[in-house]
Amino acid sequence: MKLLPQEIAHSVDAAIRAAQAAGDLPAFDVPEVKISAPKRAEQADYAASIAMQLAKPAGMPPPRIAEIIVKHLKAPKTIGSVEVVAGYINFNLSDDWLRGLVETLINDGADGAVIDVGAGKRAQVEFVSANPTGPLHIGRSRGAMVGDAMARVLQAAGYAVEREYYFNNAGQQMNNLARSMRYRYYQALGLSPLPEDCDERGEPYYKGAYLIDYAETLKAERGDSLKGADLPPFKQFAEERMFAMIKATLNRVDIHHDIFFNENSLYDSGEVWRTLEALDARGYIYKASVPEVDNTKGEKDEDAPEAGKAEATWFRSSRFGDEKDRVVVKSTGDATYTLPDIAYHVNKLDRGFDVCVNVLGADHFKQAQVVQHGLRALDRDPSKVHVIFVQMVRLVKDGEIMKSSTRAGNFETLDDLIDETSADAVRYNLMARSADSQMNFDLDLAVKQSNENPVYYIQYAYVRCAGIFREAALRGVTDVGADLSLLGEAELRFLRRAAQLPDVIEASARQFEPHQIAFYALELANLFHPIFDTVRVLHSEVPPEVAAARLRFFRAAQTVFKRLLNMMGMTAPETM
RNA sequence: GCCCCCGUAGCUCAGUGGAUAGAGCAGUGGUUUCCUAAACCAUGUGCGCGGGUUCGAUUCCCGCCGGGGGCACCA
């Protein structure tokens, strides 16, 4: 489909230049023409406020400028009428073109690209990326829904999209998981846990009950043969189990990653240390016990290095505006998380993606900045990496904010949430808000309102269409060869808004804001339901040829709703 | 101390340098011989405060106030 605002903007720009050439407008630099849809749909389908902007450079009142522009305007054939109101140039879509849109929407279908802004480009969306140390909790869930919806929107915008899950299996967290696994295994065997597997209170690091179950499985599979064994078999067993669990959960909300990329592979391939060498070769690395540049002020005294402490390896991130340099290799010789993270992003960009989207929690802001500095230091283009920072989700239950911690084992998991509501409700509620906005997820409300939700309101629009087609088939009514000129004002009202589908997808993709789709879907459903109630198809007083046209219209509407539901990762049920 | 996000209707949240700031939920009152009432119709004195830029600011800038997150030789 076409991006109408773009088309209109070009014609307005051309008209201004033509007016200047003809001497109707004085010479001045023509600013970018912005076309927007007015808030109030009855005012116009699209409007330009360019005449107001030109009042000063042109030295004329806006209405006069608008009239001059319109005089020179060669409007696209999608436009039925142009009028000047209070200095605005208002554009209305032609009714004939809108009726033709019915066929366009049906032919475009519910999957695949709607527009071609991403044609020939590759996009990658990295999301979830939770370390496999336990079930997915709701904090990660938001990023999961946002990331997958983002991927779907980019696909609709024409990009070839890959979904990636990055996980860290080289660090302390996974060792703690392995120790906790061994702790529970010893327990299952009726033995006392090893002292090194206990935290300061003699408990396992990860306290989740799932490890107790897995210990039983491990005991059943291996008996006591692992008694006295080192950590690796426990780590491997736990990691496999955790991933099976995470994938099963994600499958419930129809999220499937193309690539699972693990940190260990960056060590195996040597990329981590090559990254360090590359940084060093460019003069961004030094050894010291304290940073050379540290402009941070405040209460950091407790972390002040002790005299004579061994030297760490630092990255001069301050060269790129960071307030202090960052450690990339600890004095122990181990890399911090930062180094493999930079290596990972170099790896990603070198795979040739035109755009990489990372969905991260807001608490990763600083880390993401350091990675950007690292990419710049290594002559990669950081602007190709766009990070969606997802603000925190706070769980509210019984009017109180719940603290969640994976290690305490009392979290609300994504699985719990799906069980309490539904996969569709979870997907919608977690992706339908701006990532920038912190959200309260009221569990009681989510359960209570699950029958009065926008989720069902949108799905019901699809279901009602499906109902007509079932009944039409029984009565032998078809939309084949429908005469679309028989469509009325109500249908055109819906089609006017549906014509903005490409605009919404373009904006959602360009601004990396999948929630725009959710609001658009709700608005369309809002337009749809009243129309459905008044525009009858299978009614004794509706002439057959009108019925056919309306049926065709509802097929287009159904297709649009299916596409919107697809983009949000929601199901389109035939009945409810 | 510094950096980032947020502050819009009773609640949860959209939104925009421009024409009368919107949705859902909750509340109240109505609607069904015909494609599912998970629907429709009616009902709304709100952009945290103070400056600035602009023809025009809820939107951009600065300063406050309030909420959240970050400023590790953790990942």
Side-chain angles (χ1 to χ4, degrees), chain A residues 25 48 50-52 61-73 82-89:
Chain A
L25 285 175
I50 186 76
M52 266 82 104
R64 172 120 180 266
I65 298 170
E67 292 294 353
I68 291 170
I69 293 173
V70 170
K71 185 181 133 194
H72 289 273
L73 186 72
V82 181
E83 55 180 355
V84 175
V85 180
Y88 292 92
I89 305 173

Side-chain angles (χ1 to χ4, degrees), chain A residues 164-472:
Chain A
E164 185 151 315
Y165 187 125
Y166 177 68
F167 65 103
N168 173 282
N169 56 352
Q172 198 52 44
Q173 279 189 10
M174 288 303 290
N175 276 333
N176 288 342
L177 178 71
R179 291 188 186 288
S180 305
M181 188 71 247
R182 188 164 65 182
Y183 182 110
R184 295 302 190 191
Y185 174 71
Y186 273 59
Q187 257 187 350
L189 293 178
L191 303 170
S192 303
L194 300 174
E196 62 262 40
D197 292 342
C198 302
D199 66 11
E200 60 278 3
R201 279 184 298 203
E203 294 174 7
Y205 294 97
Y206 289 98
K207 298 176 176 59
Y210 49 91
L211 285 178
I212 298 172
D213 296 338
Y214 293 162
E216 289 299 331
T217 307
L218 188 56
K219 179 182 151 192
E221 286 179 7
R222 307 287 294 266
D224 64 355
S225 66
L226 290 174
K227 196 172 73 178
D230 213 348
L231 279 178
F234 294 99
K235 182 171 173 175
Q236 191 192 338
F237 181 81
E239 183 178 320
E240 283 171 5
R241 286 281 155 175
M242 294 296 153
F243 251 116
M245 181 164 67
I246 288 168
K247 286 181 187 176
T249 302
L250 290 175
N251 184 51
R252 295 181 71 189
V253 281
D254 200 20
I255 291 178
H256 308 277
H257 289 84
D258 300 300
I259 294 176
F260 287 80
F261 195 107
N262 73 69
E263 185 191 14
N264 265 342
S265 68
L266 293 167
Y267 284 96
D268 295 342
S269 67
E271 282 165 273
V272 171
W273 303 115
R274 275 206 300 280
T275 297
L276 182 65
E277 286 162 18
L279 286 168
D280 196 17
R282 286 167 172 75
Y284 292 115
I285 295 296
Y286 64 91
K287 280 177 176 283
S289 58
V290 293
E292 285 180 4
V293 176
D294 184 354
N295 294 323
T296 55
K297 300 193 168 50
E299 320 81 50
K300 305 296 292 178
D301 293 350
E302 62 204 69
D303 294 332
E306 294 153 31
K309 187 169 182 178
E311 293 192 324
T313 304
W314 298 79
F315 164 47
R316 296 186 197 276
S317 56
S318 57
R319 292 267 181 90
F320 303 96
D322 203 350
E323 68 264 28
K324 65 176 287 189
D325 294 334
R326 307 286 163 178
V327 170
V328 286
V329 182
K330 295 182 252 184
S331 53
T332 59
D334 297 325
T336 62
Y337 182 75
T338 302
L339 187 58
D341 210 7
I342 294 171
Y344 172 54
H345 282 83
V346 169
N347 177 296
K348 278 209 246 193
L349 287 179
D350 289 356
R351 277 186 260 161
F353 294 109
D354 296 287
V355 55
C356 291
V357 182
N358 290 3
V359 182
L360 298 176
D363 53 338
H364 285 68
F365 182 78
K366 191 78 234 172
Q367 179 64 25
Q369 271 191 330
V370 176
V371 168
Q372 297 256 316
H373 298 147
L375 289 176
R376 191 166 286 121
L378 294 170
D379 301 322
R380 299 311 194 284
D381 182 1
S383 69
K384 284 187 176 175
V385 180
H386 184 271
V387 185
I388 299 176
F389 290 104
V390 180
Q391 296 295 317
M392 299 292 154
V393 177
R394 292 190 301 187
L395 279 183
V396 178
K397 196 171 177 94
D398 302 326
E400 286 179 24
I401 292 167
M402 297 172 62
K403 298 286 177 201
S404 69
S405 156
T406 42
R407 296 213 306 209
N410 62 355
F411 44 76
E412 287 288 336
T413 64
L414 176 53
D415 273 317
D416 293 340
L417 202 59
I418 298 170
D419 290 341
E420 286 192 59
T421 57
S422 70
D424 286 328
V426 169
R427 285 216 56 139
Y428 180 84
N429 283 302
L430 290 179
M431 67 75 70
R433 290 173 168 78
S434 160
D436 279 343
S437 138
Q438 208 175 93
M439 65 180 279
N440 289 341
F441 198 110
D442 191 320
L443 288 170
D444 308 311
L445 216 54
V447 177
K448 198 176 104 195
Q449 292 182 350
S450 61
N451 280 338
E452 296 287 330
N453 248 322
V455 177
Y456 300 95
Y457 190 75
I458 296 165
Q459 286 179 323
Y460 191 47
Y462 177 86
V463 168
R464 293 181 107 176
C465 292
I468 301 182
F469 286 105
R470 271 195 307 274
E471 188 61 26

Side-chain angles (χ1 to χ4, degrees), chain A residues 450-501:
Chain A
S450 61
N451 280 338
E452 296 287 330
N453 248 322
V455 177
Y456 300 95
Y457 190 75
I458 296 165
Q459 286 179 323
Y460 191 47
Y462 177 86
V463 168
R464 293 181 107 176
C465 292
I468 301 182
F469 286 105
R470 271 195 307 274
E471 188 61 26
L474 291 177
R475 302 192 194 181
V477 179
T478 91
D479 59 352
V480 173
D483 176 4
L484 295 173
S485 70
L486 297 171
L487 294 178
E489 267 311 309
E491 295 94 303
L492 290 180
R493 229 174 20 250
F494 180 87
L495 290 169
R496 265 182 242 285
R497 193 77 176 101
Q500 292 173 4
L501 177 69

Side-chain angles (χ1 to χ4, degrees), chain A residues 10-124:
Chain A
H10 284 149
S11 69
V12 171
D13 181 81
I16 295 170
R17 291 174 199 284
Q20 286 179 320
D24 289 348
L25 285 175
F28 52 78
D29 289 337
V30 181
E32 188 196 347
V33 178
K34 293 202 178 100
I35 302 297
S36 60
K39 285 174 218 165
R40 309 179 70 79
E42 63 271 21
Q43 283 166 337
D45 293 325
Y46 293 99
S49 61
I50 186 76
M52 266 82 104
Q53 289 172 58
L54 295 183
K56 190 177 266 186
M60 296 180 193
R64 172 120 180 266
I65 298 170
E67 292 294 353
I68 291 170
I69 293 173
V70 170
K71 185 181 133 194
H72 289 273
L73 186 72
K74 291 197 182 76
K77 61 180 182 302
T78 48
I79 300 303
S81 67
V82 181
E83 55 180 355
V84 175
V85 180
Y88 292 92
I89 305 173
N90 286 345
F91 298 86
N92 289 299
L93 296 168
S94 113
D95 288 354
D96 283 344
W97 183 80
L98 281 170
R99 293 188 179 102
L101 187 62
V102 167
E103 295 302 329
T104 308
L105 291 170
I106 294 169
N107 289 336
D108 278 9
D111 298 295
V114 182
I115 52 177
D116 59 4
V117 297
K121 294 184 189 163
R122 294 173 62 213
Q124 187 221 46

